[in-house]
Amino acid sequence: MPPKSDLPQGTLDLLILKTVAMGPVHGYAIGQRLQQVSRDVVQVPQGSLYPALHRLETRGYLAADWKLTETGREAKFYHLTRKGRVQLETEAESWKRLAEAVGLILQVPEGAAE
Amino acid sequence: MPPKSDLPQGTLDLLILKTVAMGPVHGYAIGQRLQQVSRDVVQVPQGSLYPALHRLETRGYLAADWKLTETGREAKFYHLTRKGRVQLETEAESWKRLAEAVGLILQVPEGAAE
DNA sequence: TGTAATATGTAGAAGCGCAAAGTATCCAAC
DNA sequence: GTTGGATACTTTGCGCTTCTACATATTACA
């Protein structure tokens, strides 16, 4: 079973915000950490990750500074703004409610079909 | 708490398939049932619902017949095809895995920086 | 007669994720 | 010394889905 990623629209932002909330990180590390914590279920391609980061930065949820990584390389370290922290809480709450709702619907036993 | 709908991409299809699996229903009833079972968390606009139904029908997951409702009105009653039943199981499984993965990520305590 | 609820449908716009490119650095192997 | 892999960031364009808004028709009820 190849681990499919295919994140539903909107979910990526939430996961990124959450990851950044754990401390300043650069984009590449965000992708790795998501994959790691999710046990390989979530695998974010760079073509999804970086545009998402720019999107979040444009909206004022993230801010960034260029710094050196532990390995001595230039990287853009993101951190949450106050606005971003609020957004994270909002989205996390929305996700929770949605997950519960979908759970409820999927739980319904299937009646006699046709 | 205003009940926001805004379903992530792909989720709507899953919910529709699940609802139809419980027995032949027409589009309007699907929307109502989703709203009811999800306790108003899921509210599908008609402009989302009907295109989704056509999409699922085109793909061979749903089939439909015109019948009379209990109230004596013409309505298109959808039922799952065999292919649709398989698809439902696949999507439900994907959702489960994703929900677990997102749960894992959201669970991580903040400030776990290295 | 008018309005609310039922029931289906289309068109246009906007957003998002992804594939596929490209750029550049560091390090180890050969 | 150069090849290759891992790291790190960026951009463009495609395809898909959802939403807003509108259009249409019937039934029920005041």
Side-chain angles (χ1 to χ4, degrees):
Chain A
M1 303 280 189
K4 256 179 24 181
S5 48
D6 276 332
L7 284 176
Q9 153 182 33
T11 311
L12 180 58
D13 287 8
L14 168 60
L15 297 184
I16 290 177
L17 287 177
K18 175 66 185 182
T19 303
V20 174
M22 304 192 292
V25 269
H26 57 272
Y28 195 84
I30 292 175
Q32 288 194 316
R33 200 177 287 190
L34 283 178
Q35 182 171 345
Q36 183 191 344
V37 177
S38 74
R39 291 168 192 160
D40 286 342
V41 174
V42 176
Q43 293 180 24
V44 189
Q46 299 186 334
S48 304
L49 180 61
Y50 291 108
L53 285 172
H54 299 327
R55 209 164 53 225
L56 294 171
E57 197 179 1
T58 300
R59 290 182 188 164
Y61 299 148
L62 297 181
D65 311 286
W66 286 93
K67 289 185 196 169
L68 288 178
T69 65
E70 299 170 1
T71 56
R73 305 185 53 166
E74 289 284 325
K76 213 169 167 184
F77 282 78
Y78 290 92
H79 59 92
L80 274 190
T81 62
R82 212 173 308 138
K83 196 176 166 191
R85 207 164 284 279
V86 173
Q87 181 67 9
L88 169 56
E89 282 175 38
T90 304
E91 287 194 23
E93 188 56 37
S94 288
W95 168 266
K96 234 193 207 161
R97 289 201 319 156
L98 176 71
E100 279 171 20
V102 174
L104 276 175
I105 294 168
L106 291 186
Q107 235 177 10
V108 176
E110 299 190 15
E114 314 157 47
Chain B
M1 309 273 189
K4 255 179 25 183
S5 50
D6 276 334
L7 286 176
Q9 151 184 33
T11 311
L12 180 58
D13 288 8
L14 168 59
L15 297 184
I16 290 177
L17 287 177
K18 175 65 186 180
T19 303
V20 174
M22 302 190 294
V25 269
H26 57 272
Y28 194 84
I30 293 174
Q32 287 194 316
R33 201 178 286 190
L34 283 178
Q35 181 171 346
Q36 181 192 346
V37 176
S38 75
R39 291 168 193 160
D40 286 342
V41 173
V42 176
Q43 293 181 22
V44 189
Q46 301 185 333
S48 304
L49 180 61
Y50 290 107
L53 286 172
H54 299 326
R55 209 163 52 229
L56 294 172
E57 196 178 1
T58 299
R59 290 181 187 164
Y61 299 148
L62 296 183
D65 310 285
W66 286 94
K67 290 183 194 170
L68 287 178
T69 65
E70 299 170 1
T71 56
R73 305 185 53 165
E74 287 286 325
K76 214 169 165 184
F77 282 77
Y78 289 91
H79 59 93
L80 273 188
T81 63
R82 213 173 307 140
K83 195 176 167 191
R85 208 166 283 279
V86 173
Q87 181 67 9
L88 168 57
E89 281 174 37
T90 304
E91 288 194 21
E93 189 56 37
S94 289
W95 168 265
K96 233 189 196 167
R97 290 202 321 156
L98 176 71
E100 279 171 19
V102 174
L104 277 175
I105 294 168
L106 291 186
Q107 235 178 10
V108 176
E110 297 192 15
E114 291 104 274

